[in-house]
Amino acid sequence: MSNHNPGSPVNASSQQEKQIEVEGKEEVKSVFDKNIIIKGSLWFALITVLTIAGIFFYNNTGQTVEALKHISYKYIAICLGMLFVDLMLGSWRNHIYIRKLNPEVSHWVSFRANVANMFMGAVTPAHGGAGPAQIYVYTSAGVTFIDAFAVSLINMGATLIFMPLAGFVAIMLMDTSYVSGIVPAMLKYGFSFFLLFLLAFLLAFWKPVWVGIIIQKIANGLSAVFPKRKEKLAAWAEKSYVNISKYQQTCSVIIKQHPFLFPLSLIITTLLYMNKYCMQYVILLGLGVNASLVQVISIQILIQFMIYFAPSPGGSGFAEVSISVLFGKIVPAALLSIFTLLQRSFLLFFPAIIGAYSVINLLRKQTQRQHRKQATETV
């Protein structure tokens, strides 16, 4: 028989955790709305096709078609191997935590979570659906919402640390003549968002009380502007503070119990992105273009950095324009549209297609569960 009464701190904490679990699952499930996915996919495809077509027609279509005959397919095969490495590193970056938190969850679940992350990141602005997609796959496999969210948060932290550092190194190493046109403005945009999110991440992890106070002040300020929503805003501030505190505690426990996992996550993150960056160099070799590996990596770092928080689905439009502007100094005009298409295909289109299959399966299972539940309630 339990020694805890209903009003005890232990029961209150347990009830709070259950509430966070239920609300969290509902929030991530809301991302898997068919209309949102279809709309995002259409916008992503439309913007991408129009932008690549624009690059294609602008850079002499006749020569481009002729250049297709000279692609070296052995390098394309190497890129397929690098794509496999990319997907495996992305899944292992999560699985090193998941296998400690829930040993029963297989690496295959982490693989599906990673590709679902990539697909939903491709069809939502600023990668907004990526994290929820990953969390939903894990919670569907039995991982608690808090654990799945904590893993996503920790790895987001690794990315937020790696990307600005890589961006600074790239700027120091690359030829400054490449940085012209819209590039400086996009770099400022990228750095601003990365540093803002990194600051928020560090504050939420080390000083959750400060974040709670900031949220409270924001809620109070908005209440003055929208007095009718004062109660809802106060509830939002309280809920946000409780959630941040809970996630901070969970992350702290994970890092303290397994102190080597975060450094390992940083190493895997570095290998993951370096593999992505080197893929561009292999694509160029396949197109018969000889370029400096350092310059190619530096340019790709800046492109990835600039489009990560782009407001269009998957950075579409912004990515293609950035590639044509920055790689236009290296790649002949006749090959630029082909290179742009191959670059986007290996870095995003192919993983997103695999992720789409994973997400469609999840949606199908979700629909089947709803039908079974309705049938049971009817009976």
Side-chain angles (χ1 to χ4, degrees), residues 192-213:
S192 299
F193 268 88
F194 265 102
L195 293 176
L196 182 65
F197 275 87
L198 180 58
L199 180 62
F201 170 79
L202 294 175
L203 277 176
F205 189 77
W206 275 292
K207 298 291 182 181
V209 175
W210 290 7
V211 176
I213 292 170

Side-chain angles (χ1 to χ4, degrees), residues 222-223 225-233:
L222 290 173
S223 296
V225 180
F226 307 104
K228 292 182 179 179
R229 300 194 174 186
K230 186 175 181 179
E231 289 184 11
K232 287 186 177 180
L233 287 166

Side-chain angles (χ1 to χ4, degrees), residues 73-259:
Y73 290 100
K74 70 176 181 180
Y75 289 106
I76 303 303
I78 293 171
C79 284
L80 288 171
M82 296 177 79
L83 172 61
F84 175 75
V85 171
D86 176 68
L87 298 180
M88 293 303 291
L89 285 172
S91 60
W92 268 110
R93 191 168 73 137
N94 295 317
H95 199 64
I96 58 173
Y97 293 103
I98 295 296
R99 65 179 180 174
K100 299 290 185 183
L101 296 168
N102 195 331
E104 294 179 0
V105 175
S106 70
H107 178 252
W108 173 239
V109 174
S110 290
F111 183 88
R112 288 192 290 112
N114 181 50
V115 293
N117 175 305
M118 298 178 86
F119 168 68
M120 290 302 294
V123 299
T124 52
H127 291 81
Q134 177 177 297
I135 293 167
Y136 186 71
V137 174
Y138 278 128
T139 54
S140 299
V143 180
T144 65
F145 173 81
I146 291 172
D147 283 349
F149 188 93
V151 170
S152 180
L153 195 65
I154 291 170
N155 278 328
M156 182 62 180
T159 301
L160 289 171
I161 291 169
F162 169 79
M163 290 295 284
L165 289 175
F168 280 120
V169 172
I171 289 171
M172 287 189 292
L173 293 178
M174 75 181 294
D175 185 344
T176 54
S177 65
Y178 294 117
V179 185
S180 59
I182 63 167
V183 175
M186 290 184 70
L187 280 174
K188 288 177 184 176
Y189 174 85
F191 269 109
S192 299
F193 268 88
F194 265 102
L195 293 176
L196 182 65
F197 275 87
L198 180 58
L199 180 62
F201 170 79
L202 294 175
L203 277 176
F205 189 77
W206 275 292
K207 298 291 182 181
V209 175
W210 290 7
V211 176
I213 292 170
I214 292 169
I215 290 173
Q216 188 66 51
K217 287 186 180 298
I218 292 171
N220 290 338
L222 290 173
S223 296
V225 180
F226 307 104
K228 292 182 179 179
R229 300 194 174 186
K230 186 175 181 179
E231 289 184 11
K232 287 186 177 180
L233 287 166
W236 166 75
E238 179 62 27
K239 177 185 170 185
S240 298
Y241 177 63
V242 169
N243 287 351
I244 288 169
S245 298
K246 191 64 192 174
Y247 300 141
Q248 187 268 347
Q249 290 168 18
T250 305
C251 292
S252 296
V253 169
I254 294 170
I255 290 173
K256 284 176 182 176
Q257 288 182 347
H258 310 287

Side-chain angles (χ1 to χ4, degrees), residues 19-31:
Q19 187 178 352
I20 291 172
E21 186 79 15
V22 172
E23 290 177 354
K25 283 185 176 180
E26 287 301 316
E27 283 179 19
V28 297
K29 191 186 289 185
S30 66
V31 175

